[in-house]
Amino acid sequence: MPVVQKLINIALAEFLGTATMLFLVCTGCTLGIQGAVSSLHLSLCAGLSVMAAIQMFGYISGAHINPVVSLAALMVDEISYLETPVYIVSQILGCLTGCGLQKMVTPLQHESQNPERGICVNAPHETLTDWEACGVEIILTTIMVFAVLATWDKRNGNNMDSVALRIGFLVGVLNLAAGPFTGASMNPVRSFGPAVWNNDFRSHWIYWIGPTLGSLIATITYKYSFMRVQLGVTDYK
């Protein structure tokens, strides 16, 4: 496949995948139409929306739908330096589009789980400091990226059936565990779209710094502990 066509395919898949994920997650957060929204409801919506995006676009671009996953992919040579900005820009545009579509079809009187912050805006629990919330995001993202790296490990190739479902349920359980702490974002664009559309950037830095550090911790640990690296080439043998 020509390079330009490949980049276009990646861009479109990541844009549509991220838009799909944001639309489903933010629609699932909407009170009034949804009625009372439980923690289980929100967690399943988060996990299964990721599953849907991977099922739809995983075979095209890998369905990273998350800049810190693309960062990990770059560090383990799953994607190239040329492809990386295509992934990230497409994800940012997708998050703005998906959240915008949810705002477009949702009447103004409906609220979020946290009415002070707007629909789908991630925020630390009021009892947490920003640094505690950042620590939660670091830990959650470390776990998530470890799991993603395992799916890319060629030694794990015989266990890759139902990857979309597995990653979806992993995201779901992480949301069940820590959603009440920070919203369990683990994804800068998951938090960026709602922050832009609701013009609410309070404590927003947590959702870029925490996931990025978590991704770096997971990728560096996995690459240099579980992958044997010789002359800069990952050796799975």
Side-chain angles (χ1 to χ4, degrees):
M1 179 186 297
V3 173
V4 173
Q5 183 62 53
K6 181 181 179 181
L7 294 177
I8 291 172
N9 288 349
I10 288 170
L12 186 58
E14 289 297 308
F15 171 78
L16 292 174
T18 309
T20 298
M21 186 263 292
L22 260 292
F23 177 79
L24 294 175
V25 168
C26 291
T27 302
C29 293
T30 308
L31 293 177
I33 291 177
Q34 293 285 0
V37 181
S38 68
S39 177
L40 178 61
H41 174 108
L42 294 173
S43 299
L44 284 174
C45 190
L48 296 179
S49 67
V50 171
M51 181 204 72
I54 295 173
Q55 180 64 34
M56 293 164 68
F57 302 107
Y59 70 100
I60 299 172
S61 66
H64 296 177
I65 60 173
N66 185 339
V68 303
V69 172
S70 297
L71 174 63
L74 173 65
M75 293 175 66
V76 296
D77 300 322
E78 282 290 320
I79 63 175
S80 68
Y81 283 98
L82 177 62
E83 293 168 342
T84 303
V86 175
Y87 274 88
I88 294 174
V89 171
S90 301
Q91 291 156 4
I92 292 172
L93 294 176
C95 84
L96 294 172
T97 301
C99 190
L101 288 172
Q102 187 275 336
K103 294 282 282 187
M104 183 176 70
V105 301
T106 303
L108 292 176
Q109 68 265 31
H110 295 295
E111 298 177 344
S112 69
Q113 286 289 87
N114 186 349
E116 296 181 359
R117 302 302 296 261
I119 292 175
C120 208
V121 175
N122 279 325
H125 190 272
E126 59 186 10
T127 61
L128 269 66
T129 67
D130 282 359
W131 288 107
E132 288 170 336
C134 188
V136 171
E137 287 293 320
I138 291 172
I139 295 168
L140 295 178
T141 310
T142 300
I143 296 169
M144 182 192 70
V145 173
F146 256 107
V148 172
L149 289 165
T151 70
W152 295 335
D153 193 323
K154 293 179 177 62
R155 294 169 298 180
N156 202 24
N158 293 330
N159 302 311
M160 289 299 99
D161 56 307
S162 304
V163 168
L165 191 60
R166 295 180 186 205
I167 297 298
F169 274 115
L170 173 68
V171 172
V173 75
L174 292 172
N175 273 266
L176 274 173
F181 283 70
T182 63
S185 175
M186 303 172 281
N187 184 344
V189 299
R190 158 63 184 87
S191 298
F192 182 66
V196 170
W197 280 99
N198 292 281
N199 192 28
D200 188 342
F201 291 91
R202 287 173 286 175
S203 301
H204 185 65
W205 66 270
I206 292 167
Y207 299 102
W208 287 88
I209 300 300
T212 301
L213 290 177
S215 179
L216 289 172
I217 291 168
T219 307
I220 291 170
T221 303
Y222 197 98
K223 182 173 182 177
Y224 293 105
S225 295
F226 301 120
M227 294 177 176
R228 288 172 293 175
V229 181
Q230 298 176 356
L231 300 177
V233 178
T234 304
D235 177 13
Y236 293 93
K237 297 179 181 179

